[in-house]
């Protein structure tokens, strides 16, 4: 009986291990967690490179002013962009170097579309454009109702060919997840099928909300914080990203 119990325990443990795969990428210090069965959730990529962590710590400091906050956010967005674009498809092209002709690799197909959730998402656009200057930019405007903490949409303008592109939806904070969920729904209504969401800081509640509403969307994040407080702010967080970016505290 004892041996059978041990054998059953081993089988259960192996089953659990088969459902969760954790990959550590030593070159970027990025961590990917995902299920491996048919109903797998979206992948959550924690891009915790030392430079990102360092810059984020400066941003969290309440003494950091808007100028430095904006610059650091731009730099982090660019660093995260390397991980987000790691698997872009390549195609062979014929070029000629100063020495000889050769077959080289270049990114194939339509390039990115960057879509910030206004207004705080604007702070992440230039960092991504520095990597992919030919990317097109759309905008989705939402604000959080101070009483209900629910998102209210007030603007949406997207590139005409957005459905043909890899769309990167950006917003520094993933708190309740309401704005991200609604913005992702809006993108899908416009025919977008290849979408990734990138944020700076997330709360577990927001990650859960996005993964439940959009299990096909991967999330790229620089820090997963502890929880939301009674005002639906991320703890420890960094405050209101929009106010700190634009100096409207």
């Amino acid at each position: 009986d004892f041996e059978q119990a041990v054998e059953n325990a081993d089988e259960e443990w192996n089953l659990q291990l088969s459902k969760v795969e954790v990959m550590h990428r030593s070159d970027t210090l990025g961590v990917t967690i995902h299920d491996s069965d048919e109903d797998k959730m979206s992948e959550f990529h924690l891009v915790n490179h030392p430079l990102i962590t360092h810059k984020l710590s400066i941003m969290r400091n309440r003494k950091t002013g808007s100028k430095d906050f904006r610059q650091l956010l731009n730099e982090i967005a660019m660093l995260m962009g390397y991980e987000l674009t790691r698997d872009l498809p390549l195609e062979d092209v014929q070029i000629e170097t100063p020495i000889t002709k050769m077959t080289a690799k270049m990114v194939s197909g339509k390039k990115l579309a960057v879509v910030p959730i206004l207004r705080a998402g604007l702070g992440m656009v230039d960092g991504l454009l520095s990597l992919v200057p030919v990317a097109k930019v759309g905008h989705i405007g939402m604000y959080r109702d101070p009483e209900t903490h629910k998102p209210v949409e007030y603007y949406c303008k997207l590139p005409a060919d957005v459905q043909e592109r890899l769309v990167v939806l950006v917003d520094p904070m993933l708190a309740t997840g309401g704005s991200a969920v609604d913005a992702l729904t809006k993108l899908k209504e416009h025919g977008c099928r290849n979408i990734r969401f990138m944020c700076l800081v997330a709360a577990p509640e927001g990650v859960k909300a996005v993964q439940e509403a959009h299990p096909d969307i991967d999330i790229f994040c620089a820090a997963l914080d502890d929880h939301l407080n009674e005002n639906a702010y991320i703890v420890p967080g960094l405050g209101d990203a929009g106010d700190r970016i634009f100096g409207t505290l």
Side-chain angles (χ1 to χ4, degrees):
D1 292 340
F2 175 76
E3 292 180 353
Q4 183 63 43
V6 171
E7 184 178 346
N8 291 340
D10 287 341
E11 289 179 357
E12 177 63 24
W13 175 246
N14 290 331
L15 178 61
Q16 294 303 318
L17 286 179
S18 69
K19 290 183 177 180
V20 179
E21 176 185 356
V22 180
M23 298 183 298
H24 180 259
R25 295 171 177 168
S26 59
D27 54 343
T28 62
L29 295 183
V31 177
T32 304
I33 302 175
H34 63 85
D35 294 336
S36 58
D37 51 13
E38 294 181 356
D39 58 345
K40 81 178 188 71
M41 295 294 290
S42 67
E43 294 183 2
F44 180 82
H45 302 256
L46 186 61
V47 191
N48 55 349
H49 189 286
L51 289 176
I52 292 177
T53 302
H54 173 80
K55 294 174 186 293
L56 177 56
S57 295
I58 299 174
M59 292 181 68
R60 290 185 189 272
N61 193 330
R62 65 184 303 171
K63 295 181 180 179
T64 300
S66 292
K67 175 182 177 295
D68 291 335
F69 192 94
R70 284 194 298 269
Q71 180 177 337
L72 290 164
L73 180 58
N74 176 73
E75 292 172 358
I76 291 176
M78 180 182 66
L79 291 170
M80 292 183 68
Y82 282 105
E83 177 67 11
L84 186 143
T85 57
R86 149 187 304 274
D87 60 350
L88 289 181
L90 298 175
E91 63 182 2
D92 291 338
V93 296
Q94 299 300 314
I95 65 170
E96 186 171 354
T97 76
I99 308 302
T100 185
K101 294 180 180 180
M102 68 167 289
T103 301
K105 300 284 188 181
M106 297 187 71
V107 175
S108 64
K110 295 278 188 178
K111 304 307 185 288
L112 276 62
V114 182
V115 180
I117 299 178
L118 304 179
R119 60 181 172 152
L122 289 171
M124 304 179 75
V125 173
D126 286 345
L128 290 174
L129 290 181
S130 66
L131 288 179
V132 191
V134 296
K136 292 188 177 181
V137 180
H139 299 86
I140 296 179
M142 292 183 177
Y143 69 89
R144 185 171 68 168
D145 186 288
E147 300 296 330
T148 66
H149 306 308
K150 301 292 185 181
V152 179
E153 180 187 337
Y154 63 88
Y155 183 76
C156 181
K157 184 71 172 180
L158 301 173
D161 62 350
V162 68
Q163 71 278 0
E164 302 175 20
R165 296 172 176 264
L166 166 61
V167 180
V168 183
L169 181 69
V170 294
D171 194 1
M173 313 302 286
L174 179 58
T176 64
S179 294
V181 167
D182 286 2
L184 289 168
T185 299
K186 178 64 67 174
L187 289 172
K188 290 180 178 180
E189 289 174 353
H190 280 78
C192 301
R193 291 296 176 264
N194 190 9
I195 312 170
R196 297 175 185 179
F197 178 69
M198 189 173 86
C199 63
L200 186 65
V201 179
E205 296 92 331
V207 174
K208 182 174 184 289
V210 171
Q211 290 187 324
E212 288 182 347
H214 298 283
D216 57 324
I217 302 300
D218 289 349
I219 302 171
F220 292 77
C221 178
L224 182 62
D225 279 11
D226 191 65
H227 66 279
L228 298 177
N229 65 14
E230 63 277 8
N231 295 316
Y233 279 95
I234 299 175
V235 179
L238 47 74
D240 188 301
D243 283 340
R244 297 196 65 185
I245 291 169
F246 298 106
T248 53
L249 294 170

